[in-house]
Amino acid sequence: MASKISILGCGWLGFPLAQSLIKKNEVKGSTTSAHKLDQLIKNGITPFLIDLENLTQNLSEFLNSEILIIAVTPKSISVYKELILAIKQSTIQNVMFISSTSVYGNHSVEITEDFPVKESTLSIAEDLFRKEKKFNTTIIRFAGLIGYNRNPNNFFKNGKKIDNPCGVVNMIHQDDCIRIIEEIISQNTWGETFNACADTHPTRKDFYTHAYESFQLHPIEFTNTITELKQISNQKLKQVLNYEFIHPNLLKLNEMPFD
């Protein structure tokens, strides 16, 4: 059964997500750039020009849906609070809040969803949505995003060296991000918090060396700096959704789409 879905923020993740969801659902999408409205229209997505940092328009038409996916990260808590008030006055029943594993900070342990988070705008916003009773919220904490114009070999340009070569990486390909969101919607899995990252956690040295060998864009240099880095567990996501990653192995970059 088709759902009415609004995607707040049709950027690197939100736009291809909208392109995928429109195949089976009615989709509204927002952008902060007027020149992107035609792109949304051409893909069958009902377009809205919305800037939460400078909100002057009425959100009621955009929020006239059943599901809201928040794929933007405002800089202030007041913006999130204003958005929540608008959602409570709308027909939205379920919210998907796109967050990040950065809420955990750096720790040399395996981190599950129960691990304490550091105080930040993002973690406070998570809590605000989680506490709301008028709609259900599922929070997805994505690891580092790769794929389609996010080539890991380009993360350290202009001769910048890579610190902590013995630390591990936590990343996820865009294809898996979209599939995970679609599974949550299709399985009606609301009121949850999920970590989302690939199965493997190679060292930074192994990962970026492999990225250089795969794409040969520019040489990779490492420092001797050692810092704590977390390893994210994706076990809850895999168990609850019965999810198998499209791109589970981060050392098979040459098998992943990046263009």
Side-chain angles (χ1 to χ4, degrees):
M1 180 177 175
S3 297
K4 294 182 178 180
I5 301 173
S6 294
I7 301 176
L8 185 60
C10 284
W12 180 84
L13 176 60
F15 178 61
L17 173 63
Q19 287 179 299
S20 184
L21 289 173
I22 196 67
K23 298 171 185 177
K24 297 181 180 180
N25 305 279
E26 297 180 32
V27 179
K28 300 174 183 177
S30 82
T31 177
T32 59
S33 302
H35 71 273
K36 292 183 179 180
L37 294 175
D38 283 343
Q39 184 184 43
L40 296 177
I41 293 172
K42 289 177 181 178
N43 283 271
I45 302 157
T46 305
F48 288 82
L49 191 64
I50 297 174
D51 183 358
L52 291 181
E53 302 288 351
N54 185 27
L55 193 58
T56 57
Q57 66 274 63
N58 190 332
L59 287 178
S60 59
E61 185 178 354
F62 175 73
L63 294 177
N64 184 21
S65 295
E66 299 154 3
I67 297 171
L68 172 66
I69 300 171
I70 302 173
V72 294
T73 52
K75 297 178 181 179
S76 69
I77 293 299
S78 61
V79 174
Y80 285 111
K81 290 180 177 179
E82 188 173 358
L83 176 59
I84 287 172
L85 286 175
I87 296 170
K88 290 169 69 174
Q89 297 169 10
S90 74
T91 58
I92 296 294
Q93 301 169 22
N94 298 302
V95 171
M96 193 174 304
F97 185 86
I98 305 302
S99 186
S100 166
T101 55
S102 65
V103 297
Y104 295 116
N106 289 329
H107 305 274
S108 296
V109 295
E110 185 177 52
I111 294 178
T112 68
E113 290 80 356
D114 295 327
F115 199 88
V117 300
K118 63 180 181 179
E119 184 170 310
S120 64
T121 299
L122 199 53
S123 64
I124 294 171
E126 282 187 5
D127 204 41
L128 289 173
F129 278 91
R130 190 181 292 111
K131 289 179 178 178
E132 277 301 324
K133 303 299 183 184
K134 195 165 183 181
F135 53 84
N136 302 306
T137 299
T138 282
I139 296 165
I140 310 177
R141 293 170 176 162
F142 282 126
L145 303 172
I146 59 173
Y148 307 110
N149 300 320
R150 284 181 182 258
N151 189 311
N153 198 275
N154 290 332
F155 292 174
F156 296 89
K157 292 184 177 181
N158 303 319
K160 182 178 178 181
K161 296 182 179 179
I162 300 175
D163 292 332
N164 198 30
C166 294
V168 300
V169 297
N170 302 283
M171 293 187 178
I172 184 169
H173 194 278
Q174 185 191 93
D175 291 342
D176 280 301
C177 295
I178 292 173
R179 181 72 63 80
I180 288 167
I181 291 171
E182 291 179 330
E183 285 298 319
I184 289 171
I185 293 172
S186 65
Q187 296 184 37
N188 202 31
T189 309
W190 303 105
E192 295 282 359
T193 298
F194 293 114
N195 291 337
C197 65
D199 287 338
T200 57
H201 301 276
T203 66
R204 288 164 65 83
K205 184 175 183 179
D206 286 347
F207 178 78
Y208 287 108
T209 298
H210 182 67
Y212 168 67
E213 292 172 348
S214 297
F215 305 111
Q216 297 184 349
L217 298 180
H218 62 83
I220 299 293
E221 294 185 65
F222 301 92
T223 72
N224 292 322
T225 304
I226 298 175
T227 58
E228 291 183 328
L229 278 181
K230 54 187 174 281
Q231 178 170 318
I232 302 298
S233 170
N234 65 7
Q235 291 305 302
K236 178 182 176 182
L237 175 78
K238 293 167 69 174
Q239 291 170 2
V240 174
L241 299 178
N242 193 27
Y243 187 76
E244 292 186 15
F245 278 79
I246 303 169
H247 306 292
N249 190 342
L250 293 176
L251 290 182
K252 291 188 175 181
L253 294 172
N254 55 343
E255 298 179 10
M256 301 180 190
F258 282 93
D259 298 323

